[in-house]
Amino acid sequence: MISEKDIVKQELWPTPFVGAKLDYIDNKSIEKYILDTKKNKKGRQISNQGGWQDALDNDPIFKDLINSIHYVARTSFKVKPGPKEVNFQMWGNINYRGNWNNFHEHTGAFISGVYYVKYPKDSGYLVLRDPRAIVKDEQSAEADRYNTIIPETGLLFLFPGYLEHMVTPSESDESRISIAFNLFIYDDK
């Protein structure tokens, strides 16, 4: 007769999701930099519904943040051995009351993520969608298809570029300021 000890269970293809609190980043200076950048750039609309979004230059003000992103990526994600070329892109986001982002992924990016420069209460949650292409049966006791993350100022999150995510509408009268980013990793030829 079979018993529980005869059963072997594995979790296949887990999706990495990594978070870190960066309490040493000068968020006030970064906030000022992004607000000043907004004055000089019209912004763009990609997944954002309202608000402002545009590419950020590699200014020295971001040095500690960028170094932290690379450190967390190196220590948390498995990359094939060998020399690599890394292309890092980042952009600023300013969302006001009612602004939100549609579900989207970052096609082609090995790692994507977000850092919260300023997060007022109720200014939108990060929602992640289970990437497995399955239809969950109503009898399944698996985790929900969606996972909601409540951000905080100073929190950094990294996840695979294929992981679909969105930001819920802000219900705050204060602006939420974040920096999103992608790491594209290639074999160095």
Side-chain angles (χ1 to χ4, degrees), residues 53-86:
Q53 175 186 106
D54 213 324
L56 295 172
D57 300 325
N58 193 6
D59 189 273
I61 197 164
F62 299 115
K63 182 180 180 218
D64 288 340
L65 176 59
I66 293 170
N67 287 341
S68 297
I69 291 167
H70 285 286
Y71 177 80
V72 172
R74 254 191 335 273
T75 58
S76 303
F77 287 81
K78 295 177 183 175
V79 178
K80 292 187 308 184
K84 302 296 175 201
E85 177 185 333
V86 177

Side-chain angles (χ1 to χ4, degrees), residues 5-22:
K5 68 177 176 66
D6 298 316
I7 300 170
V8 176
K9 181 179 177 182
Q10 289 180 299
E11 296 292 330
L12 300 177
W13 305 292
T15 304
F17 181 80
V18 181
K21 180 75 170 183
L22 307 182

Side-chain angles (χ1 to χ4, degrees), residues 81-142:
K84 302 296 175 201
E85 177 185 333
V86 177
N87 178 2
F88 180 78
Q89 302 170 350
M90 67 179 175
W91 56 97
N93 302 290
I94 305 173
N95 283 28
Y96 306 99
R97 178 179 278 283
N99 298 161
W100 59 290
N101 291 71
N102 290 319
F103 267 110
H104 63 286
E105 78 284 331
H106 297 244
T107 305
F110 182 66
I111 300 170
S112 294
V114 60
Y115 174 73
Y116 292 91
V117 177
K118 177 184 170 194
Y119 183 81
K121 185 176 188 270
D122 298 327
S123 62
Y125 304 136
L126 176 63
V127 179
L128 310 167
R129 186 175 1 218
D130 187 337
R132 296 171 299 170
I134 64 168
V135 176
K136 216 172 86 171
D137 187 274
E138 67 182 35
Q139 296 301 313
S140 175
E142 277 191 50

